[in-house]
Amino acid sequence: MNKHYFCIVVFLWAFGFAYAQITGTVLDDDGVPLPGASIVKKGTTTGTTTDFDGNFTLDVEMGDTLVVSYIGFETKEVTVNSTEMNIQLTSGVALSEVIIVGSRNPNRTATESTVPVDVIDISELNNVAPQVNLNQILNYVAPSFTSNTQTISDGTDHIDPASLRGLGPDQVLVLINGKRRHTSSLINVNGTFGRGSVGTDLNAIPAAAIQRIEVLRDGAAAQYGSDAIAGVINIILNKSVNELTTTVTTGANFTKNANDQTGGIDGATTNIAASYGVPLGDNGGFINFSGDFDVRNEYSRMKEWEGEIFNLYNTVERVANADGYDISNLLDDDVDDVIQYANQAGINLNGASTKEELGGVLGADATQAELAARGQQRSDYNMRVGQSALRGGRLFGNFSLPLGDNETEVYAFAGISSRTGNSAGFYRLPNQSRTFTPAYINGFLPEINSNIKDQSLSIGIKGLIGDWNVDLSNTYGKNAFLYTIGNTFNASMQNASPTFFDAGGFSFLQNTANLDVTQFFDDVMSGFNVAFGAEYRVENYDIIAGEEASYAQYTANGQRITLASQQPSQDFFGNSRPGGSQVFPGFAPANELSRGRSSVAGYVDLEADFSEKFLASFATRFEDYSDFGSTINFKLAARYKVSDNLNIRGAANTGFRAPSLHQINFNSTSTIFDNEGNPQEVGTFANDSRAAKLLGIPQLKEETSSSVSLGLTAKIPDANLTITVDGYYVEINDRVVYTGQFEGPGTGTELDNLLRQANATAASFFANAINTESRGLDVVITHKTDLGNDWRLKSDLAGTFSKTNQIGDINASQVLRDAGLVDTYFPEDSRVYLEEAVPRTKINLSNSLTSDKFIVFLRNVYFGEVTEATTTVANQQVFGTKLVTDLSIGYKATDALTFTIGANNLFDIYPDRAEEAFNNRSSGRFDWSRRAQQFGIGGRFLFARLNFTLK
């Protein structure tokens, strides 16, 4: 009996030594406990998370390997060799980070996923990168992402369009903490990439509020719904507590082409950002507030206006004005005063005595003589070709409060932003009919002032019901964009015109309710995740009218024109004066509207580890819209683990994008300049308008897509290398574009009358005009190494190689074909915007060298060639490839204080200049293209940054 008892004791002692309950603490670089860190036994789903003090308890065997991860830190593997363990993590985000987007499996990492996901550590970039706004941060760090500041493009000067994989700004879905973000209220109708689309205003989100960004580079409409054709950008907000971080960044362009190409400094920018969080409760709850305020000055890169400015009538005006005469009286039919001052100016009238005869003489160019007489130079008539001025602030909050021990959690996040902008349009010259010279004798540069407000709130509760994780949430968002037009004129009002106008604007509201249910079955196969849910979304789009003078056209007697028989006021030469505020005519009551719709959706998302080697997932989503019907989409993806260090993955999916309420309902009249730089008043008409019916423009319907991707992920542990390579093909049918400009025949037809009523000379529409295909290859290589003496080097090489083409015939109606208007329906410049106006190749090599005291950041970005977007093929200049270098050096003076200096575009690289032979310079207005963008025309930007952190 004693012998058996002794054997049992020995066995239990040995078993207890082999299989033990261990305790430990997970710490950050500075020894601060990390609450919520994940500890998982490698090769299993057995694991736990740390409590608020960073402590954990776990039953494992001695010799087991634990995988320890925490958002914002490198994942670490440790071997169990003691019952008490302290584990220290190194800050930084790796491809092995657990991801939220692309998979609803709570254990999935980027390199183990079935689709490509980039994980970008924004907190690290905030310390070293020159860029401070989110669009530009992503433009330089994520090759598949493209965004640039636009110029001379009305509202698009104030909200930068952005795209993924070269597709449209409205074909990428943006999430915050996994919840759908609302889009901007602005629709791009001017001459920029993304014309005709609606994007998300990423610059309304402060970079200081972001912990990391996940960029899913694969179609995901079957998982997340409309817009996710190119992919998904998921922004994860800060969760940090007991840490105050304050950053001040200031910089400017120090470049050879500053100040209208005279050199020096311009475009000064200052950004002040802060983030602070406090813990709530004893179970890892928190509330974090982050925000920033910035001021960005304008800059211009136009050297001088090379065209005509004055005619001889302007000479008459100058002489009369110097004599104290009211030069508005020169416009009446009594020409004695005109003859008097023409003679006084020494102008040879050749016997002209009537207004018509005088017009033939006084229309002659007098630019050089008038510049000399007025003591002016050509550069006084420059436009502001470059960057608009902006001033704004943003504040975001992120909140989480666990309740009790059943994993129930109440959470919320919210944001507000307010931004004002100032940009300028084309200079209104004295010799133009749209310039009322009695008010502006030297012409004027009209300004667009924007007031952009954004607000959002998401609240939810999640927890366990049985063994199911249930998440119920509601997300609200609204964006409003209002215009005030300054230093301008309604020329048709003549002396009665104000110089400042309320031009109205628009707003977009979205409210989304979600129910998401998931469960991971670790005892089914090698793991099986089931997710399903539902969504109900309400959207509303409003256009707000401006004051009457901002949109109306008037007769010479000051009567507002409402009938085709009424004639507008005229200049001295008999040219009709346009109505509305110059540069941006306001929205009229006829444009004003409020349109809404709703959609309901349901989805199922399954992911199964059939074995340790083979993973497959299937998702399907049904969605029904109140305004165009229903759609169902599918996604199938798989990953095969060839070895511990090599995975092959692939996916196939269908997708869709519902036409936005903006595209369906937007209508207005705006001034758009043609290829020759001549102004055209173009009316945008809705697809249910009478004008659309006359021209055979069909109703809008959803875009549909199908795509496939195939790639691999590889690790080379001995070389500390991680590699991902992914190829893709995306086909989109019935893609929505902004058409060319349809003109009436000028014979008093119904279309002519409709254009006249809209104060327009041509009409444009949104239409499902084309089908496209996009194909490309994305490569990401990451390398890390320790260099000794506490120096660490991290290098990332990422590249995208893509191409988009229109395929098949243009989807034109028979009415358009019979009228020979197919090329207007989808003109040549629209093809270039779609296919060649942004780089199809972009390669990024980033190197970060760090020690206890220094951070050295070096980045080189290669931008592929782009093509001038113009309807004249012979004028389509190709702008060559460029390499832009960023460099910064940071010094950690104390644990709390870091100083950084650096440069974006260190070597002051510019895109190729527009060559005279291609006839796109518009008489000196555009020495660099405004229609094709690689990386902007700011030149070298030098900055200094102070980062202060208190823990």
Side-chain angles (χ1 to χ4, degrees):
M1 177 70 180
N2 289 337
K3 180 179 179 181
H4 291 300
Y5 178 77
F6 175 77
C7 291
I8 291 171
V9 170
V10 171
F11 173 78
L12 291 175
W13 176 82
F15 179 80
F17 180 79
Y19 191 81
Q21 184 180 77
I22 66 166
T23 60
T25 305
V26 179
L27 310 168
D28 69 8
D29 314 61
D30 300 316
V32 177
L34 292 173
S38 172
I39 303 98
V40 179
K41 180 180 174 181
K42 187 175 182 179
T44 73
T45 56
T46 301
T48 187
T49 57
T50 57
D51 62 18
F52 184 75
D53 297 316
N55 299 321
F56 69 92
T57 302
L58 187 64
D59 293 330
V60 293
E61 296 181 20
M62 291 296 164
D64 280 349
T65 299
L66 300 182
V67 180
V68 186
S69 62
Y70 186 77
I71 294 172
F73 290 79
E74 304 286 358
T75 298
K76 188 172 186 178
E77 294 188 3
V78 294
T79 302
V80 178
N81 52 22
S82 171
T83 57
E84 293 185 5
M85 303 181 69
N86 284 334
I87 304 169
Q88 194 163 34
L89 300 183
T90 302
S91 61
V93 176
L95 286 171
S96 55
E97 184 67 77
V98 174
I99 58 173
I100 294 175
V101 72
S103 171
R104 290 185 168 92
N105 186 329
N107 306 306
R108 193 63 61 209
T109 65
T111 53
E112 299 294 319
S113 68
T114 59
V115 290
V117 179
D118 298 324
V119 183
I120 300 167
D121 182 2
I122 292 296
S123 61
E124 177 183 338
L125 290 171
N126 283 341
N127 289 329
V128 297
Q131 297 78 21
V132 293
N133 73 63
L134 190 52
N135 267 321
Q136 286 305 299
I137 289 174
L138 288 173
N139 190 44
Y140 277 85
V141 76
S144 59
F145 181 92
T146 297
S147 177
N148 281 299
T149 300
Q150 306 298 318
T151 186
I152 317 296
S153 54
D154 291 353
T156 312
D157 279 14
H158 306 259
I159 297 181
D160 302 335
S163 72
L164 200 62
R165 284 185 161 178
L167 296 177
D170 50 8
Q171 289 164 337
V172 57
L173 175 64
V174 177
L175 310 175
I176 295 185
N177 286 350
K179 308 299 180 183
R180 177 181 283 263
R181 173 77 172 174
H182 61 279
T183 63
S184 165
S185 57
L186 174 72
I187 187 163
N188 302 307
V189 295
N190 264 268
T192 66
F193 168 76
R195 185 170 68 177
S197 65
V198 179
T200 301
D201 184 8
L202 293 176
N203 288 343
I205 306 167
I210 302 171
Q211 187 173 66
R212 75 177 192 271
I213 296 177
E214 300 168 351
V215 181
L216 167 62
R217 293 179 276 111
D218 196 67
Q223 294 169 290
Y224 301 105
S226 177
D227 305 347
I229 290 177
V232 180
I233 297 174
N234 186 31
I235 297 169
I236 308 299
L237 298 179
N238 270 345
K239 301 177 182 178
S240 61
V241 296
N242 294 325
E243 178 179 285
L244 171 64
T245 300
T246 303
T247 303
V248 179
T249 304
T250 186
N253 299 313
F254 291 71
T255 173
K256 58 194 174 190
N257 292 313
N259 302 307
D260 291 330
Q261 302 184 40
T262 62
I265 305 170
D266 65 5
T269 299
T270 299
N271 178 277
I272 301 172
S275 179
Y276 181 68
V278 295
L280 299 175
D282 299 323
N283 298 310
F286 65 88
I287 185 168
N288 178 281
F289 290 101
S290 303
D292 71 356
F293 173 81
D294 59 9
V295 177
R296 183 183 86 180
N297 292 340
E298 76 280 357
Y299 67 72
S300 178
R301 296 292 177 265
M302 179 180 173
K303 185 175 183 179
E304 66 177 18
W305 169 242
E306 299 167 1
E308 295 181 0
I309 302 172
F310 300 102
N311 54 32
L312 287 175
Y313 178 77
N314 299 133
T315 303
V316 172
E317 288 182 311
R318 173 179 56 81
V319 173
N321 186 63
D323 194 42
Y325 187 71
D326 182 356
I327 62 174
S328 62
N329 292 331
L330 298 172
L331 294 167
D332 59 28
D333 292 332
D334 182 356
V335 295
D336 289 345
D337 49 359
V338 177
I339 294 172
Q340 173 190 339
Y341 287 112
N343 291 331
Q344 190 173 324
I347 298 173
N348 182 5
L349 297 178
N350 291 321
S353 60
T354 66
K355 198 169 189 178
E356 183 178 358
E357 291 171 346
L358 288 168
V361 175
L362 298 180
D365 179 45
T367 298
Q368 291 304 118
E370 279 302 296
L371 286 173
R374 301 183 188 213
Q376 296 175 340
Q377 49 193 340
R378 285 185 170 275
S379 59
D380 292 330
Y381 294 86
N382 281 3
M383 296 158 44
R384 194 189 304 163
V385 180
Q387 173 178 278
S388 62
L390 289 176
R391 175 187 296 263
R394 292 149 288 272
L395 177 65
F396 264 65
N398 192 23
F399 162 83
S400 172
L401 183 63
L403 304 175
D405 299 324
N406 63 344
E407 300 187 31
T408 301
E409 174 188 346
V410 176
Y411 64 88
F413 54 91
I416 56 172
S417 75
S418 178
R419 190 158 80 246
T420 58
N422 174 272
S423 64
F426 281 70
Y427 199 102
R428 269 48 179 181
L429 298 166
N431 62 356
Q432 295 174 331
S433 64
R434 57 188 56 239
T435 302
F436 187 69
T437 44
Y440 295 99
I441 196 167
N442 292 317
F444 60 97
L445 184 67
E447 297 180 343
I448 298 175
N449 300 288
S450 63
N451 188 339
I452 307 167
K453 295 189 182 299
D454 200 283
Q455 52 191 290
S456 61
L457 171 65
S458 183
I459 57 175
I461 183 169
K462 59 184 177 181
L464 285 175
I465 298 180
D467 293 328
W468 293 91
N469 294 287
V470 179
D471 184 347
L472 179 64
S473 65
N474 188 82
T475 303
Y476 164 87
K478 183 178 181 180
N479 178 273
F481 195 127
L482 298 177
Y483 293 90
T484 50
I485 312 304
N487 194 46
T488 188
F489 217 70
N490 182 329
S492 69
M493 292 181 73
Q494 304 186 105
N495 279 325
S497 175
T499 59
F500 191 86
F501 299 82
D502 172 6
F506 29 70
S507 67
F508 176 71
L509 179 151
Q510 177 180 283
N511 191 84
T512 308
N514 290 97
L515 174 65
D516 301 291
V517 183
T518 63
Q519 183 175 351
F520 182 74
F521 297 90
D522 55 7
D523 56 350
V524 177
M525 295 175 283
S526 294
F528 181 50
N529 195 77
V530 176
F532 59 91
E535 177 180 287
Y536 179 70
R537 187 163 75 249
V538 176
E539 299 173 337
N540 199 82
Y541 176 68
D542 293 323
I543 295 179
I544 304 120
E547 62 180 290
E548 180 182 295
S550 73
Y551 60 81
Q553 189 176 28
Y554 296 85
T555 66
N557 295 325
Q559 295 179 330
R560 180 186 165 195
I561 294 177
T562 57
L563 302 172
S565 58
Q566 293 176 287
Q567 295 299 316
S569 60
Q570 298 176 340
D571 68 0
F572 182 80
F573 301 95
N575 299 311
S576 296
R577 295 195 186 271
S581 47
Q582 286 295 308
V583 78
F584 188 92
F587 294 97
N591 304 128
E592 198 167 34
L593 52 78
S594 180
R595 297 286 186 270
R597 72 177 176 195
S598 62
S599 67
V600 61
Y603 72 88
V604 175
D605 193 346
L606 308 174
E607 186 174 296
D609 288 278
F610 288 93
S611 66
E612 290 189 2
K613 289 184 174 293
F614 183 65
L615 159 71
S617 66
F618 171 78
T620 183
R621 184 183 181 101
F622 171 83
E623 198 143 355
D624 182 78
Y625 280 75
S626 60
D627 56 350
F628 76 84
S630 59
T631 178
I632 186 168
N633 291 280
F634 304 92
K635 181 168 185 174
L636 181 64
R639 185 219 68 214
Y640 182 72
K641 186 182 288 291
V642 179
S643 68
D644 286 343
N645 296 317
L646 178 63
N647 296 324
I648 296 175
R649 61 191 180 190
N653 68 81
T654 63
F656 82 105
R657 189 191 70 82
S660 68
L661 284 176
H662 320 50
Q663 291 171 325
I664 296 172
N665 297 291
F666 181 79
N667 67 106
S668 76
T669 299
S670 56
T671 306
I672 295 178
F673 285 74
D674 61 22
N675 292 328
E676 303 297 326
N678 299 315
Q680 307 291 336
E681 309 301 331
V682 178
T684 300
F685 292 82
N687 288 61
D688 59 357
S689 65
R690 178 61 182 163
K693 290 181 174 61
L694 289 173
L695 287 166
I697 308 292
Q699 294 281 312
L700 283 176
K701 58 184 177 180
E702 75 274 19
E703 300 174 345
T704 59
S705 71
S706 56
S707 65
V708 294
S709 63
L710 181 65
L712 63 84
T713 68
K715 297 178 184 178
I716 307 176
D718 293 341
N720 292 319
L721 279 175
T722 302
I723 303 169
T724 69
V725 180
D726 294 276
Y728 62 90
Y729 175 85
V730 183
E731 184 174 311
I732 304 175
N733 294 321
D734 300 316
R735 191 160 173 175
V736 177
V737 300
Y738 189 60
T739 71
Q741 300 165 14
F742 296 89
E743 296 181 355
T747 56
T749 65
E750 185 177 1
L751 180 59
D752 288 318
N753 291 334
L754 289 170
L755 290 171
R756 177 75 181 276
Q757 291 168 18
N759 195 19
T761 58
S764 290
F765 307 85
F766 296 95
N768 299 97
I770 56 168
N771 305 326
T772 65
E773 64 177 13
S774 301
R775 62 189 74 199
L777 183 71
D778 295 332
V779 180
V780 180
I781 302 174
T782 299
H783 175 260
K784 293 177 291 185
T785 186
D786 290 325
L787 301 178
N789 296 323
D790 295 324
W791 285 93
R792 298 173 298 278
L793 176 65
K794 180 182 178 184
S795 300
D796 297 287
L797 176 64
T800 187
F801 311 88
S802 65
K803 188 173 184 179
T804 295
N805 292 104
Q806 178 209 342
I807 56 174
D809 294 331
I810 296 172
N811 304 327
S813 67
Q814 194 60 45
V815 175
L816 288 168
R817 294 186 187 280
D818 292 343
L821 295 173
V822 174
D823 289 339
T824 304
Y825 190 56
F826 182 67
E828 174 64 14
D829 63 335
S830 292
R831 182 199 66 79
V832 179
Y833 281 126
L834 185 79
E835 298 180 0
E836 302 173 34
V838 296
R840 288 156 290 175
T841 299
K842 193 161 71 165
I843 302 172
N844 176 324
L845 175 60
S846 298
N847 303 278
S848 181
L849 180 65
T850 61
S851 70
D852 291 340
K853 287 290 185 181
F854 289 95
I855 305 172
V856 181
F857 179 73
L858 174 66
R859 177 169 59 200
N860 286 281
V861 182
Y862 171 92
F863 293 89
E865 65 183 28
V866 295
T867 303
E868 180 77 21
T870 173
T871 54
T872 306
V873 175
N875 294 353
Q876 292 176 0
Q877 181 179 351
V878 176
F879 303 100
T881 62
K882 299 294 176 181
L883 184 67
V884 174
T885 301
D886 294 350
L887 175 67
S888 69
I889 300 173
Y891 174 68
K892 193 171 184 179
T894 68
D895 288 341
L897 190 63
T898 301
F899 297 96
T900 305
I901 59 172
N904 165 233
N905 195 353
L906 177 65
F907 299 111
D908 204 17
I909 302 299
Y910 278 78
D912 292 342
R913 284 180 176 262
E915 297 177 10
E916 191 67 50
F918 290 95
N919 197 32
N920 296 315
R921 293 185 61 250
S922 187
S923 298
R925 290 186 176 112
F926 304 111
D927 282 319
W928 293 275
S929 174
R930 73 179 179 117
R931 301 188 186 98
Q933 293 281 342
Q934 290 167 296
F935 50 89
I937 55 173
R940 181 192 297 114
F941 180 85
L942 302 182
F943 77 97
R945 178 176 296 141
L946 184 149
N947 182 278
F948 187 69
T949 302
L950 288 179
K951 297 184 179 180

